[in-house]
Amino acid sequence: MTACPASPNTVLANALSSVEDVLAPRVQAAGPRRIVFVVGTQINGVPHLGTSLVQSLTFAAAARARDRFRVPVEVAFGALDNAPHEVVVDEASGHRYQRAYAQALGEDVLAKQVDVLYRPLFAALSDRLAIPFSIEMYSRQQQTEEYRRTWLRAHSRIDAARWWLDPAHGTPHVRVPCPTAGCGWAEKYAQRTRILLGVDHAEVRAVCLHHGPYEVVIDQSGSDYLDLATLYRNLVKELSAVVARDRLSVMVKGGDWVFGSTLVDNALTAIGLTAGQLPTRLFCPQVVTDTGAKLSKSLIREGRASMPEGAAPWMLDTREWPGSLNEYADRLLSLAEVLLSDPRHFFRSYSAGELGRMMSQPTRSVTTP
């Protein structure tokens, strides 16, 4: 057996006996009938190790919460199809325009990709831990009455939150792609987008790359695509989650979200939430390179970074794992068991090489004195 990892103590780890202790204050205060572990992923490429790590830890943490708090749990996977598929510069204005995956490929194509690239691992993790899961495309989520009602309510207070959601310019981006059939282009930074709020709707005025000025009405039952900048989208998603009284939603994110979430929390506070109403989050270990930077598939693909020492091709494309899906799921859950065995192991980052070693060798948890 290989003893790993040797993890140093931290302020947070020193305050906990187990990782799920970070959820205890909210569970005790809310007394939920169920706990939903919410995890989202941009579906703009094939899954990499960081994606699989967060997803497997979501299921494993949910199982520990179920056993600890004696409350039913489930996992909700959000497939984010609003990532840019194409970006061009308009010669007339100099503004960047984007066409998201949802508009470029269509929901049916993307749903099939999710079924091929993500659902099998989710099903394997679900079977092993007896935890139900659901998958929702962002295209569908943004169409729901709850999501749109929450956005309209949040946008009515946007002046209080705008500098938290966009500290650089104070203008949180709202993109509603051109509704002309077959178009779907939108200004990436929404420079010429204007929003006029009504009682229960919003009139969005924007300028298309190909079709000029257009207007779209966003109400609680509309079908036009409502795309929000990342921090703004998270504010709406988390605001929608905290108002549900029968369940506690735990937002599971990679460690790179720690800094950005402080902005979202301040924005939520600015629009009226109290500290006790802020979202419950669980930040998972981040996969980093030898320089300490997040392992970036795009930087390596673009030639701006090299594969770190000890990394393997399957870490950038999990389809290249040298074995079966069932073996991959088992290795991930074995790794999750180690990381969740001690807060010192969980609340930290790991190099790609170290995670590769832990995935390829039997491990046992060792607590650093």
Side-chain angles (χ1 to χ4, degrees):
M1 299 288 286
T2 302
C4 70
S7 300
N9 201 4
T10 64
V11 173
L12 177 58
N14 196 47
L16 307 175
S17 297
S18 63
V19 171
E20 58 271 20
D21 286 343
V22 297
L23 308 179
R26 292 298 174 87
V27 174
Q28 296 299 324
R33 295 181 181 179
R34 60 192 173 108
I35 303 176
V36 181
F37 286 74
V38 182
V39 59
T41 298
Q42 290 280 7
I43 54 172
N44 56 350
V46 297
H48 54 84
L49 174 59
T51 303
S52 294
L53 181 64
V54 172
Q55 291 170 351
S56 58
L57 285 170
T58 300
F59 277 91
R64 290 174 68 95
R66 175 191 59 198
D67 298 341
R68 162 78 178 274
F69 302 114
R70 304 297 180 186
V71 177
V73 299
E74 60 188 85
V75 170
F77 175 57
L80 302 175
D81 54 19
N82 62 330
H85 182 268
E86 307 165 79
V87 177
V88 299
V89 176
D90 175 27
E91 294 183 0
S93 65
H95 297 173
R96 290 188 175 187
Y97 274 79
Q98 72 174 49
R99 201 163 183 243
Y101 274 76
Q103 283 72 50
L105 301 182
E107 186 177 342
D108 290 343
V109 171
L110 292 171
K112 290 178 182 178
Q113 288 188 9
V114 170
D115 286 343
V116 171
L117 297 176
Y118 295 95
R119 189 180 293 274
L121 178 60
F122 271 64
L125 297 170
S126 174
D127 290 343
R128 283 157 174 74
L129 297 175
I131 294 176
F133 73 95
S134 61
I135 296 177
E136 184 177 44
M137 306 289 289
Y138 177 75
S139 291
R140 292 294 179 91
Q141 182 188 50
Q142 61 84 29
Q143 285 183 335
T144 63
E145 180 180 344
E146 179 183 6
Y147 188 93
R148 293 190 171 215
R149 183 174 61 248
T150 303
W151 174 70
L152 288 168
R153 182 158 57 99
H155 204 74
S156 68
R157 301 292 309 279
I158 196 63
D159 283 346
R162 63 192 185 96
W163 285 103
W164 291 115
L165 296 175
D166 183 16
H169 307 99
T171 308
H173 307 142
V174 177
R175 292 180 288 261
V176 177
C178 175
T180 303
C183 185
W185 287 92
E187 271 187 326
K188 183 173 179 61
Y189 301 115
Q191 294 98 326
R192 293 179 289 184
T193 297
R194 300 294 178 264
I195 300 173
L196 304 177
L197 279 180
V199 176
D200 56 359
H201 71 282
E203 295 180 11
V204 182
R205 300 174 181 175
V207 181
C208 176
L209 175 65
H210 301 294
H211 302 100
Y214 62 92
E215 295 185 11
V216 173
V217 174
I218 299 293
D219 57 24
Q220 297 180 24
S221 59
S223 58
D224 290 291
Y225 196 88
L226 175 62
D227 183 17
L228 307 175
T230 302
L231 295 179
Y232 198 2
R233 184 185 69 245
N234 274 264
L235 177 137
V236 173
K237 179 183 73 174
E238 295 179 345
L239 182 60
S240 177
V242 299
V243 300
R245 301 186 180 277
D246 64 332
R247 70 179 187 267
L248 174 66
S249 294
V250 177
M251 305 298 170
V252 185
K253 297 179 177 293
D256 56 319
W257 257 99
V258 170
F259 308 109
S261 291
T262 62
L263 293 173
V264 177
D265 282 346
N266 282 314
L268 287 167
T269 302
I271 65 174
L273 265 63
T274 65
Q277 295 174 310
L278 293 177
T280 304
R281 300 193 186 98
L282 184 65
F283 297 105
C284 295
Q286 188 173 349
V287 187
V288 300
T289 66
D290 3 345
T291 68
K294 175 184 174 181
L295 180 66
S296 171
K297 179 174 59 179
S298 58
L299 288 182
I300 294 174
R301 183 176 60 242
E302 294 166 4
R304 298 161 59 192
S306 57
M307 283 284 285
E309 184 178 353
W314 66 265
M315 294 182 179
L316 302 182
D317 182 348
T318 59
R319 297 174 301 177
E320 297 188 26
W321 167 262
S324 67
L325 173 68
N326 286 332
E327 181 191 26
Y328 186 55
D330 289 337
R331 294 292 183 92
L332 284 170
L333 289 179
S334 294
L335 175 61
E337 183 179 2
V338 173
L339 300 185
L340 286 163
S341 66
D342 190 306
R344 300 183 187 190
H345 302 336
F346 190 85
F347 297 106
R348 52 161 291 189
S349 298
Y350 289 87
S351 69
E354 176 69 357
L355 285 176
R357 183 176 72 86
M358 294 170 69
M359 286 279 286
S360 63
Q361 299 179 13
T363 61
R364 62 181 175 87
S365 172
V366 173
T367 301
T368 305

